[in-house]
Amino acid sequence: MSSGDILDVVFDRFLSGTTIFANRDVLRHDYVPQALPHRDEQIHKLGAMVAPALTGSKISNVFVYGKTGTGKTAVARFVLSHLERRAGDTGAPVRVSYINCRLAGTNYRVLAELCRTWSVNVPFTGLASGEVLDRFRDSLIASKRFTVVVLDEVDALVKHQGDDTLLYELTRINESLRGGWVGIVGISNDLHFKEYLDPRVLSSLSEEELLFRPYLADELYDILLARAKSAFLPNALLEPALRLCAALAAGEHGDARRALDLLRVAAELAERETAKAVTEEHVRLAQQKIDDDRVAEALKSLPLHSKVVLLATHLISSRTQEGAITGDVYGVYKELCDVTKVEPLTQRRVSGLVNELDVMGILNARVVNLGRYGRTKKIRLGIPPKALSDAFSHETLVSSLMSYTPKSFHRRRIA
DNA sequence: CCTCCACTGGAAACCTAGGCTC
DNA sequence: GAGCCTAGGTTTCCAGTGGAGG
């Protein structure tokens, strides 16, 4: 049998042999369904806020907030795609640009992305932000269109007080447009986000506000049921499994995204073992798998130095009961760099990396005062050591350090 | 009550990669 | 192709911190 034949067998089996899915895309969280259960109120309100666009009037900027998986993005996409379609019918020159700020990463990349949705060419680096903004503005003026810019996860752009220049510029862009306008829909998971904003930006960005409450277990159940109807073949899903997905996700602040992930992964597990239906057992396995995968993914995509810092922490904490402290971690980190011929970063930088890892939940770092013995951070792994060795097993350089025995490790007595 | 350790974390300077203009 | 500019990452510098131990 040739390689091509083997592949044909695999593909055929995939195409015909599935016992579970009718349409798996329905369970992806970027899928926008025909109906959004339990979000009528928000759809109605947001619809009313953007409706003036159909007659060419400037819409108010809207600030949408609520926790992850409460339907913010889905509602925004739903409402705005309807707006665009309706505008197409009536001939209103409305256009919607959707940007995920966290995925974009920086101010510059958000702007560049924005330009790309307008087919304006910008290099991925090298230009001044102001220049990119100018190009965006020029294309707006040239096209004479009304624009709704959706900035999903805007909080990712403003981590410190005072770096809200991009938002400031965007909220002011209308002043320099003749004829067109830009309306901003800002979406944030972080309820405290507003505190970091310049009052001028805040008042301009949140001319209107829309709050999304977490879903209740019953509501999650309805959402899952609606999707499941088109995602699964008849009888491929047992009702208790669906209940369990809803209950588990409700336990985690009513996160619909989580619920959908659970259902999808559970179904994939069931399919892989060619089970006839998705059971509660599959859901439980899925819960574990999602957590493991998320950690593994985060670990693999870490920059080299962060990995070494993690290893240093691991090496120390596997040799003492107490958590490691910054000085020790840095000492061992430098040793590991030395062994692998990697130029070490400074302690200040490593301390910054530790903070980043702490935010990601991979490390637990806590500032402690040891009195006479100074002020430092106690650092512990936030994940099982096994996750480390698994994730790094493909990288010879890093994995070889897992069994290294640190020399410089002068532990003093800590109260 | 005072000292002083071992850092923390803010701020600014510095470095690098990449695009722009001429 | 030189000389300029910027964003993002890193280093350098340093004031600030809070409690054990004297």
Side-chain angles (χ1 to χ4, degrees):
Chain A
M1 196 188 268
S2 76
S3 307
D5 291 342
I6 295 173
L7 265 186
D8 278 343
V9 170
V10 173
F11 291 161
D12 282 348
R13 186 163 157 228
F14 183 84
L15 286 172
S16 64
T18 175
T19 51
I20 302 289
F21 285 114
N23 178 7
R24 76 177 67 214
D25 288 342
V26 175
L27 294 181
R28 298 172 56 90
H29 38 238
D30 52 0
Y31 174 84
V32 181
Q34 291 299 311
L36 296 166
H38 303 289
R39 282 297 177 247
D40 293 347
E41 181 194 339
Q42 283 81 3
I43 291 173
H44 190 265
K45 283 186 177 167
L46 186 60
M49 291 172 192
V50 299
L54 293 171
T55 59
S57 311
K58 154 112 177 59
I59 66 165
S60 299
N61 293 331
V62 187
F63 184 60
V64 176
Y65 58 105
K67 293 199 171 162
T68 47
T70 51
K72 303 181 297 296
T73 306
V75 166
R77 281 187 183 275
F78 181 82
V79 170
L80 292 170
S81 67
H82 275 75
L83 178 78
E84 244 179 340
R85 198 170 321 145
R86 194 59 180 276
D89 294 345
T90 61
V94 177
R95 183 147 167 189
V96 178
S97 298
Y98 175 90
I99 315 280
N100 184 308
C101 300
R102 192 176 48 79
L103 289 184
T106 64
N107 279 356
Y108 180 90
R109 293 205 274 262
V110 168
L111 272 174
E113 188 78 10
L114 199 50
C115 286
R116 219 158 296 135
T117 64
W118 277 81
S119 313
V120 177
N121 239 339
V122 283
F124 68 91
T125 175
L127 286 189
S129 295
E131 167 68 20
V132 182
L133 192 67
D134 284 345
R135 291 191 189 183
F136 177 60
R137 193 190 339 246
D138 290 346
S139 78
L140 282 183
I141 292 171
S143 75
K144 297 197 179 65
R145 278 170 187 264
F146 311 129
T147 312
V148 180
V149 177
V150 184
L151 297 175
D152 203 348
E153 308 196 49
V154 266
D155 44 308
L157 286 186
V158 187
K159 293 195 195 66
H160 308 286
Q161 228 134 19
D163 35 89
D164 47 10
T165 43
L166 172 64
L167 291 176
Y168 181 67
E169 294 293 339
L170 276 178
T171 53
R172 286 192 18 165
I173 200 168
N174 288 315
E175 294 167 17
S176 53
L177 294 179
R178 294 169 307 273
W181 49 254
V182 177
I184 301 172
V185 177
I187 303 180
S188 169
N189 301 325
D190 181 359
L191 307 180
H192 304 292
F193 165 66
K194 294 201 284 185
E195 293 161 20
Y196 297 110
L197 287 180
D198 185 305
R200 285 172 302 177
V201 176
L202 180 60
S203 68
S204 160
L205 191 63
S206 57
E207 290 167 340
E208 305 269 9
E209 292 192 1
L210 198 53
L211 174 67
F212 282 66
R213 299 188 184 289
Y215 291 109
L216 303 173
D218 288 345
E219 297 173 335
L220 288 172
Y221 179 80
D222 290 344
I223 293 170
L224 290 179
L225 189 63
R227 300 263 188 130
K229 276 181 184 154
S230 45
F232 292 105
L233 293 170
N235 303 323
L237 176 68
L238 300 181
E239 201 268 350
L242 200 63
R243 283 263 170 235
L244 182 58
C245 286
L248 289 174
E252 288 184 41
H253 64 260
D255 184 342
R257 184 177 306 182
R258 175 77 180 185
L260 286 167
D261 281 343
L262 274 173
L263 190 56
R264 192 192 74 245
V265 173
E268 283 168 359
L269 289 173
E271 183 177 56
R272 212 161 299 161
E273 62 183 41
T274 58
K276 284 202 267 314
V278 185
T279 63
E280 286 173 279
E281 182 57 20
H282 291 130
V283 176
R284 294 197 192 281
L285 287 173
Q287 188 177 28
Q288 190 59 49
K289 184 172 183 328
I290 289 172
D291 286 345
D292 291 353
D293 286 357
R294 210 188 46 215
V295 170
E297 198 43 51
L299 287 177
K300 275 183 205 154
S301 57
L302 245 29
L304 175 65
H305 286 282
S306 298
K307 290 178 180 166
V308 180
V309 169
L310 273 182
L311 281 179
T313 311
H314 163 65
L315 290 178
I316 293 174
S317 48
S318 66
R319 281 169 176 72
T320 68
Q321 274 72 327
E322 306 126 28
I325 63 169
T326 303
D328 292 338
V329 170
Y330 187 65
V332 174
Y333 159 84
K334 271 219 293 216
E335 237 186 279
L336 294 179
C337 286
D338 208 39
V339 175
T340 48
K341 305 274 186 294
V342 174
E343 192 67 21
L345 300 172
T346 57
Q347 180 160 334
R348 176 71 185 83
R349 181 66 191 129
V350 166
S351 159
L353 291 180
V354 167
N355 286 341
E356 286 169 25
L357 292 168
D358 183 30
V359 170
M360 296 171 73
I362 299 176
L363 286 180
N364 293 320
R366 169 170 70 91
V367 178
V368 290
N369 264 296
L370 271 27
R372 173 124 296 216
Y373 304 108
R375 188 168 181 261
T376 181
K377 266 212 280 265
K378 268 204 177 169
I379 307 166
R380 284 184 299 115
L381 281 185
I383 52 170
K386 176 141 190 332
L388 269 192
S389 45
D390 286 353
F392 295 161
S393 59
H394 306 289
E395 298 175 67
T396 42
L397 181 73
V398 183
S399 65
S400 67
L401 297 174
M402 283 294 291
S403 51
Y404 180 81
T405 309
K407 299 182 200 63
S408 72
F409 176 24
H410 47 289
R411 169 153 295 285
R412 63 213 73 81
R413 178 69 229 131
I414 290 174

